[in-house]
């Protein structure tokens, strides 16, 4: 599991896109949490070739470590369950 965190403009989206574009056959699950009104990371990732074989789940309630901690755990469980259901568990979660 990789956790990307930081202030606006620190390169989180750039790092995430790099990981997904260079995953070399690995199946990567992504939980996206953005406290902005528009979830830019999830919007950028939707429909991109970079996430082929990957799964993105969006959190909607703000800070993943505080108010949305239960939602974070549910999102991670959703990704794990999806991998099991398709018979191909994810190799990595971001």
């Amino acid at each position: 599991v990789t956790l990307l965190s930081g202030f606006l403009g620190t390169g989180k989206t750039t790092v995430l896109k790099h990981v997904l574009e260079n995953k070399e056959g690995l199946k990567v699950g992504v939980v996206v949490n953005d406290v902005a009104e528009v979830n830019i990371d999830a919007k950028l990732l939707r429909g991109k070739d970079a996430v082929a074989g990957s799964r993105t789940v969006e959190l909607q309630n703000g800070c993943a470590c505080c108010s949305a901690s239960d939602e974070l755990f549910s999102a991670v469980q959703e990704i794990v369950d999806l991998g099991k259901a398709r018979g191909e568990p994810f190799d990595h979660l971001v």
Side-chain angles (χ1 to χ4, degrees):
V1 174
T2 299
L3 176 65
L4 298 175
S5 177
F7 293 105
L8 181 65
T10 58
K12 299 176 300 294
T13 300
T14 302
V15 170
L16 178 60
K17 287 175 65 176
H18 177 77
V19 166
L20 294 175
E21 291 170 353
N22 296 285
K23 60 187 180 181
E24 299 184 20
L26 295 176
K27 291 173 284 309
V28 178
V30 180
V31 176
V32 178
N33 182 55
D34 194 334
V35 296
E37 192 170 318
V38 176
N39 195 331
I40 299 297
D41 289 339
K43 189 173 182 178
L44 287 172
L45 295 173
R46 260 188 231 111
K48 293 190 67 73
D49 292 339
V51 292
S54 299
R55 167 74 177 166
T56 301
V57 174
E58 291 181 56
L59 299 181
Q60 302 296 329
N61 295 324
C63 178
C65 61
C66 302
S67 61
S69 61
D70 289 340
E71 187 181 7
L72 173 62
F73 294 130
S74 295
V76 169
Q77 188 63 55
E78 180 182 339
I79 289 175
V80 169
D81 291 345
L82 176 67
K84 287 180 182 178
R86 68 182 189 177
E88 295 180 358
F90 289 100
D91 301 305
H92 194 80
L93 296 179
V94 179

